[in-house]
């Protein structure tokens, strides 16, 4: 019995032209997102910077957007891929509204949709270079979940992306508790964002905090955090060690 | 050592003689052995009366915990201690070496060692080895000029800071410091903050774990609090204790006194000359 192996000309991995269609590196990126569940819903914080490699190119990017009536999506990573995801979700919400059946997509459904999209793109070696944070409230139940660019998806009481994984998560693990009030939640998020501002080189001091409750989504106006640089040791750091810095 | 045409400088520093041969071996498929690293969270902070150093106690060899309770705070001088992260052998060797250099220096000068002396000796050594001595250190102490805290990187650069963290758990510990550090902390507040930062590393970083070691150095006094906190106790211990029912059977006993087989020679003579 003869067995012929077909020559595959359309193999995306070997075909040089097809390479230019795949995402290989991110270009304009957003840094961390930090989000927590609180008493009335979900709070999410992000800064407004878009870095182009090591240049701070854009300082007015909103990385958190409302999705439908019940969800809030925040993204870190490639900004163009985030905008593409918003277009997909727009189509999804539109089709859902066209049913006109009184039901609307909740955060769980949106999270599942995003997980499928991200995982399938990863399987084709053409990922959307984002880590997404999905928060929402439907029928009194708060929901907070995360999807990474390779399709890892989970939900938790508090999430952080990018550098927030290393700098914000320890603080959240220590200090988050159920039924935080709005003020306590904002204070906790600001604590995390301040540490990120000090220690993440791509963070800028212009942040927004978004709140989602049963009533809907509100994204705050951009504002900046107060920082402290007056440690005595910073005044003359080489007083004891002439010649070092 | 290979027979190279170039003279190896007598003063030491990294010798590049074997690099070409190592590269060739790796290309041929040789897997270089992994080092015993200390994973690690090490921190230091300056408080009102001096310096507090802290460290976790886990030593890793790749994914395995090689030592559950190692000591990462090394003695340099009675008033100076040094925490080490990176390759365990490198941190041990380099701190031991500089510690003995400091002692000789103390004998020569008749004065207590200063922290910047230790700093300069360490950075000179590390720089001359171009980062191949993989030791990242947090050096702290109190000398006649006051309390000092420095970080030293494997390539030989140093920083002088009011609070510092190094190691794989440094970001977790630094987030605690950045959120909670103030100037003029008291001893108890300082110890509490250091313990919190190390715990943050222990629980949030996989390379760090087990217990918290703390060292408090003030003017004229030091306290080495080994295993100050043990937040990872063994949770399930059999309440009945352990007994091994079947004892080993003794088949035969034979005792050979060694004294009859060994010759003891009394030597009367002079002691070794200096």
């Amino acid at each position: 019995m003869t067995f012929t192996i077909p020559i595959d000309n359309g193999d995306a991995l070997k075909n040089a032209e097809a390479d230019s269609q795949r995402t290989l590196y991110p270009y304009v990126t957003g840094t961390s997102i930090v989000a927590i569940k609180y008493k009335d819903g979900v709070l999410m914080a992000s800064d407004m910077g878009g870095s182009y490699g090591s240049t701070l190119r854009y300082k007015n990017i909103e990385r958190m957007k409302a999705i439908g009536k019940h969800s809030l999506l925040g993204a870190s990573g490639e900004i163009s891929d985030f905008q593409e995801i918003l277009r997909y979700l727009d189509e999804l919400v539109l089709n859902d509204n066209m049913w006109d059946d009184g039901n609307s997509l909740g955060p769980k459904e949106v999270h599942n949709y995003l997980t499928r999209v991200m995982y399938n793109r990863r399987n084709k070696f053409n990922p959307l270079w984002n880590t997404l944070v999905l928060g929402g409230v439907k029928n009194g139940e708060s929901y907070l979940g995360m999807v990474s660019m390779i399709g890892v998806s989970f939900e938790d009481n508090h999430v952080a992306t990018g550098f927030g994984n290393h700098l914000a998560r320890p603080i959240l693990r220590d200090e988050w508790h159920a039924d935080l009030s709005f003020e306590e939640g904002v204070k906790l998020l600001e604590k995390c964002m301040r540490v990120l501002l000090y220690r993440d080189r791509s963070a800028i001091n212009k942040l927004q905090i978004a709140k989602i409750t049963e009533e809907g989504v509100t994204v705050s106006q951009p504002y900046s955090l107060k920082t402290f640089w007056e440690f005595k040791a910073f005044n003359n750091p080489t007083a004891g060690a002439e010649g070092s810095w | 050592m290979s027979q190279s045409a170039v003279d190896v400088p007598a003063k030491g520093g990294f010798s590049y003689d074997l690099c070409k041969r190592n590269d060739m071996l790796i290309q041929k498929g040789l897997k270089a052995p992994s080092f015993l690293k200390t994973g690690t969270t090490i921190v230091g902070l300056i408080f009102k009366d001096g310096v507090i150093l802290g460290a976790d106690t886990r030593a890793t060899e790749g994914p395995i915990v090689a030592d559950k309770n190692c000591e990462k705070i090394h003695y340099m001088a009675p008033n100076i201690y040094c925490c080490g992260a990176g390759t365990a052998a490198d941190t041990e060797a380099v701190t031991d070496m500089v510690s003995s250099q400091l002692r000789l220096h103390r004998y020569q000068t008749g004065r207590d060692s200063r922290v910047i002396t230790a700093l300069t000796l360490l950075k000179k050594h590390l720089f001359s080895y171009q980062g191949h001595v993989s030791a990242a250190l947090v050096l702290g102490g109190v000398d006649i000029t006051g309390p000092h805290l420095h970080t030293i990187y494997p390539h030989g650069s140093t920083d002088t800071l009011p609070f510092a963290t190094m190691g794989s758990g440094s970001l977790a510990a630094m987030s605690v410091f950045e959120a909670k550090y103030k100037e003029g902390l008291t001893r108890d507040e300082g110890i509490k903050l250091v313990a919190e930062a190390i715990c943050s590393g222990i629980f949030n970083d996989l390379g760090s774990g087990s217990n918290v070691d703390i060292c408090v150095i003030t003017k004229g006094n030091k306290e080495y609090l080994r295993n100050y906190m043990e937040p990872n106790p063994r949770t399930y211990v059999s309440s009945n204790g352990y007994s091994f029912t079947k004892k080993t059977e003794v088949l035969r006993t034979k005792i050979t006194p060694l004294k009859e087989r060994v010759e003891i020679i009394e030597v009367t003579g002079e002691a070794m000359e200096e």
Side-chain angles (χ1 to χ4, degrees), chain B residues 42-84:
Chain B
I42 48 173
V43 307
L45 65 70
I46 299 203
F47 73 111
K48 200 154 51 96
D49 311 314
V51 173
I52 306 179
L53 300 173
D56 75 304
T57 60
R58 172 182 285 185
T60 51
E61 205 173 304
I64 302 171
V65 177
D67 189 347
K68 288 190 284 189
N69 207 188
C70 70
E71 283 188 29
K72 301 188 192 181
I73 306 186
H74 307 283
Y75 168 89
M76 298 286 264
N79 57 331
I80 307 174
Y81 274 77
C82 186
C83 308

Side-chain angles (χ1 to χ4, degrees), chain A:
Chain A
M1 184 170 122
T2 53
F3 196 83
T4 49
I5 300 166
I7 298 167
D8 195 346
N9 274 322
D11 192 337
L13 283 171
K14 292 196 204 135
N15 197 326
E17 283 148 19
D19 257 15
S20 65
Q21 309 285 348
R22 295 192 294 130
T23 303
L24 295 169
Y25 341 90
Y27 286 94
V28 180
T29 55
T31 180
S32 345
I33 303 250
V34 188
I36 53 173
K37 274 194 199 168
Y38 78 114
K39 194 166 48 114
D40 307 321
V42 173
L43 282 169
M44 201 185 290
S46 82
D47 70 13
M48 300 193 76
S51 312
Y52 183 62
S54 52
T55 323
L56 221 200
R57 179 75 177 82
Y58 302 103
K59 295 203 239 183
N60 204 21
I61 300 193
E62 276 197 39
R63 295 191 289 119
M64 300 182 294
K65 292 283 184 183
I67 311 290
K69 280 194 284 208
H70 304 281
S71 320
L72 173 66
L73 175 69
S76 68
E78 173 64 56
I79 300 295
S80 62
D81 284 344
F82 175 51
Q83 291 170 344
E84 184 75 359
I85 289 170
L86 290 176
R87 274 193 285 275
Y88 291 158
L89 289 173
D90 214 27
E91 212 182 302
L92 189 76
V93 170
L94 190 70
N95 282 322
D96 184 54
N97 284 340
M98 287 202 296
W99 284 103
D100 202 16
D101 58 3
N103 194 17
S104 48
L105 282 173
K108 226 174 274 211
E109 290 83 58
V110 178
H111 188 216
N112 185 53
Y113 174 77
L114 289 170
T115 310
R116 293 291 104 229
V117 168
M118 300 300 268
Y119 185 64
N120 276 298
R121 288 288 297 254
R122 165 260 196 191
N123 283 343
K124 291 188 248 176
F125 281 89
N126 186 16
L128 289 160
W129 209 285
N130 293 112
T131 310
L132 306 168
V133 175
L134 204 293
V137 186
K138 191 172 174 194
N139 298 335
E141 263 184 64
S142 322
Y143 184 92
L144 180 58
M146 209 169 110
V147 194
S148 80
M149 72 185 240
I150 53 172
V152 177
S153 143
F154 56 91
E155 38 162 323
D156 206 346
N157 293 320
H158 47 81
V159 296
T161 70
F163 250 92
N165 270 312
H166 301 103
L167 291 169
R169 270 234 168 90
I171 300 179
L172 293 172
R173 281 186 178 158
D174 231 13
E175 301 191 14
W176 184 90
H177 57 87
D179 294 323
L180 286 163
S181 71
F182 176 70
E183 288 78 27
E184 289 175 329
V186 171
K187 233 176 111 198
L188 184 57
L189 282 180
E190 285 187 346
K191 199 179 207 180
C192 296
M193 296 304 283
R194 186 171 291 114
V195 177
L196 285 167
L197 176 62
Y198 284 135
R199 295 282 164 176
D200 178 4
R201 82 164 190 176
S202 34
I204 59 169
N205 199 1
K206 186 178 175 193
L207 64 143
Q208 290 179 304
I209 295 206
K211 169 175 80 133
I212 178 161
T213 60
E214 193 70 53
E215 282 92 53
V217 178
T218 26
V219 183
S220 76
Q221 286 299 310
Y223 69 103
S224 26
L225 293 169
K226 273 211 274 278
T227 53
F228 181 74
W229 298 94
E230 304 314 313
F231 287 127
K232 276 205 304 297
F234 289 160
N235 281 338
N236 194 7
T238 59
E242 306 299 335
S244 71
W245 57 91

Side-chain angles (χ1 to χ4, degrees), chain B residues 142-184:
Chain B
V142 181
D143 57 33
I144 194 75
T145 56
H148 296 278
L149 179 67
H150 302 280
T151 52
I152 310 166
Y153 289 83
H155 285 266
S157 67
T158 59
D159 289 313
T160 311
L161 296 165
F163 55 93
T165 67
M166 295 284 260
S168 57
S170 63
L171 280 86
M174 185 51 89
S175 72
V176 170
F177 273 172
E178 283 286 15
K180 296 185 180 166
Y181 180 79
K182 298 191 310 278
E183 285 190 306

